Amino acid sequence: MHDTIDITVVLPVFNAEATVLSAVDSLDVRPGDSTEVLVVDDGSTDGTAELLDEAAAARPWMRVEHTSHQGLVHALHVGLGAARGSYIARMDADDVSLPGRLLWQKDYLDAHPEIGVVSGQVRFGGDTEASRGYALHVDWLNALHTPEDISLSRFIEAPVAHPSVMFRRRLVETHGGYTKGEYPEDYELWLSWMDAGVRFGKVDAPVLLWNDSPTRLSRTDSRYSSEAFYAIKARYLARWLERHARTWPEVIVWGAGRATRKRAALLEQYGARITAWVDIDTHKTGQTIQGVPVILPTQLPSPDRCFVLPYVGSRDARELITAWLEENGYMLGGSYIPAA
């Protein structure tokens, strides 16, 4: 093993004996590399633990930590606590890292000291028809190229895939790490770090095959429900608006449907005051909802007199809304920011 460790890959695993070694070996670590793969076995009850110990005996760059089964956040804490690298790369047991990933991401962070977290392009590993939403999310992720794209899109969905990232270990020491709650731990971490000013970047290359496993937590755990995403986004969106929206706490919400109003209600818990709903449905415009007027887009105040929050879930509708705003002088990050 190399005396100096630059990169620690933290790979938590629970009952994944069928895939974990493929994930480990896809990282393409070689003896003498300044990289270690640290697999944290979260109390597996199948043959994973024994398989990992045998594999580590034949791979000098691989270490295994065994814990009782306490869940993903605990396993991540164990991994971060035992990591020796100054860079932490994430990996999951059912995904595949693509050739060159670790070197590209390390080189990027070396060359961009202002960036704390780096991701890259992601390939969808699954049935695009059966899992259309997941596949569309990958397409959306891959369309975010710059730190600004990532930052200003973070209230729509998680702007990077968790197992695709590499970050500086000192971020955990400076800003805190994963927390456990009724929300997705990775998305909360991204929002927390961005709130603290951490910048995210991407290498312009595919770094991960992101497999759509039926046992993936995002499919099976309530912490990844739409309601959990809405709630955690509202907290950090309110903080962002307080800093950047010139009219705070007053905001105008584009969208007057029930789902949008439900999201806006979460935002109001953090002090926001909705002064108008925007809609193109003439059956709604001219009316009031919860005492707030519903207006047409053409009735919006000028960009210097309002802040607009397109708060719709439909990607197509959001793109039409943001196109209209841009064409009419509203600036992303200056007079509007999209959320979902």
Side-chain angles (χ1 to χ4, degrees):
M1 188 71 197
H2 202 282
D3 291 338
T4 302
I5 303 299
D6 291 327
I7 302 168
T8 297
V9 181
V10 175
L11 197 166
V13 58
F14 175 71
N15 287 358
E17 61 180 329
T19 61
V20 65
L21 289 190
S22 294
V24 167
D25 289 337
S26 74
L27 292 157
D28 199 27
V29 181
R30 296 285 182 263
D33 289 352
S34 58
T35 299
E36 65 175 356
V37 178
L38 178 58
V39 184
V40 182
D41 173 36
D42 181 34
S44 293
T45 56
D46 62 357
T48 297
E50 296 78 13
L51 181 70
L52 291 173
D53 287 339
E54 291 176 8
R59 296 164 173 80
W61 39 266
M62 177 180 173
R63 290 195 291 140
V64 182
E65 294 279 344
H66 296 283
T67 75
S68 58
H69 183 51
Q70 298 182 56
L72 177 59
V73 172
H74 174 74
L76 289 167
H77 285 171
V78 170
L80 291 176
R84 294 182 290 181
S86 55
Y87 293 149
I88 304 296
R90 274 287 289 111
M91 183 66 184
D92 285 340
D94 49 3
D95 297 321
V96 175
S97 275
L98 299 176
R101 170 199 170 174
L102 297 180
L103 179 61
W104 291 334
Q105 292 184 321
K106 177 183 181 299
D107 286 349
Y108 183 97
L109 291 175
D110 286 344
H112 297 84
E114 77 283 5
I115 300 295
V117 182
V118 62
S119 178
Q121 299 293 303
V122 174
R123 292 178 181 167
F124 175 68
D127 186 328
T128 56
E129 291 303 318
S131 303
R132 181 167 173 75
Y134 211 128
L136 287 172
H137 178 58
V138 169
D139 291 343
W140 177 79
L141 285 178
N142 289 337
L144 305 178
H145 299 292
T146 68
E148 290 70 30
D149 291 339
I150 296 169
S151 176
L152 292 172
S153 299
R154 68 187 188 263
F155 301 116
I156 299 172
E157 297 182 60
V160 292
H162 193 189
S164 74
V165 303
M166 180 183 290
F167 56 83
R168 302 179 193 275
R169 188 174 66 175
R170 62 174 169 77
L171 295 180
V172 178
E173 300 157 2
T174 304
H175 303 298
Y178 300 95
T179 60
K180 189 173 183 178
E182 291 304 310
Y183 44 74
E185 76 295 324
D186 55 336
Y187 192 24
E188 196 279 336
L189 184 65
W190 310 149
L191 292 172
S192 172
W193 281 358
M194 289 185 188
D195 185 66
V198 176
R199 301 191 73 201
F200 285 52
K202 274 189 179 179
V203 297
D204 187 21
V207 299
L208 185 79
L209 179 65
W210 202 16
N211 285 319
D212 183 24
S213 166
T215 59
R216 186 178 288 278
L217 286 178
S218 57
R219 287 187 171 279
T220 62
D221 195 312
S222 63
R223 294 179 300 120
Y224 295 82
S225 68
S226 296
E227 289 72 19
F229 275 88
Y230 297 156
I232 196 62
K233 275 188 278 196
R235 180 202 304 177
Y236 287 100
L237 176 57
R239 290 169 63 92
W240 188 94
L241 289 168
E242 186 172 4
R243 294 173 185 168
H244 299 281
R246 62 173 63 87
T247 61
W248 177 262
E250 295 183 351
V251 293
I252 294 175
V253 172
W254 193 314
R258 184 175 300 174
T260 295
R261 298 199 308 272
K262 185 176 180 181
R263 295 169 192 144
L266 292 169
L267 194 62
E268 288 177 310
Q269 293 178 10
Y270 293 98
R273 187 161 71 87
I274 314 302
T275 59
W277 310 101
V278 180
D279 210 293
I280 59 173
D281 185 348
T282 55
H283 291 96
K284 295 178 182 176
T285 54
Q287 307 298 315
T288 61
I289 298 177
Q290 300 168 348
V292 176
V294 184
I295 64 174
L296 289 164
T298 53
Q299 295 175 297
L300 275 169
S302 60
D304 61 331
R305 295 177 49 236
C306 69
F307 196 94
V308 184
L309 188 62
Y311 220 163
V312 297
S314 165
R315 286 185 177 89
D316 291 342
R318 187 167 56 249
E319 288 174 1
L320 289 172
I321 291 168
T322 56
W324 188 95
L325 288 168
E326 290 286 336
E327 289 169 3
N328 286 274
Y330 298 82
M331 182 182 300
L332 178 61
S335 47
Y336 82 92
I337 191 167

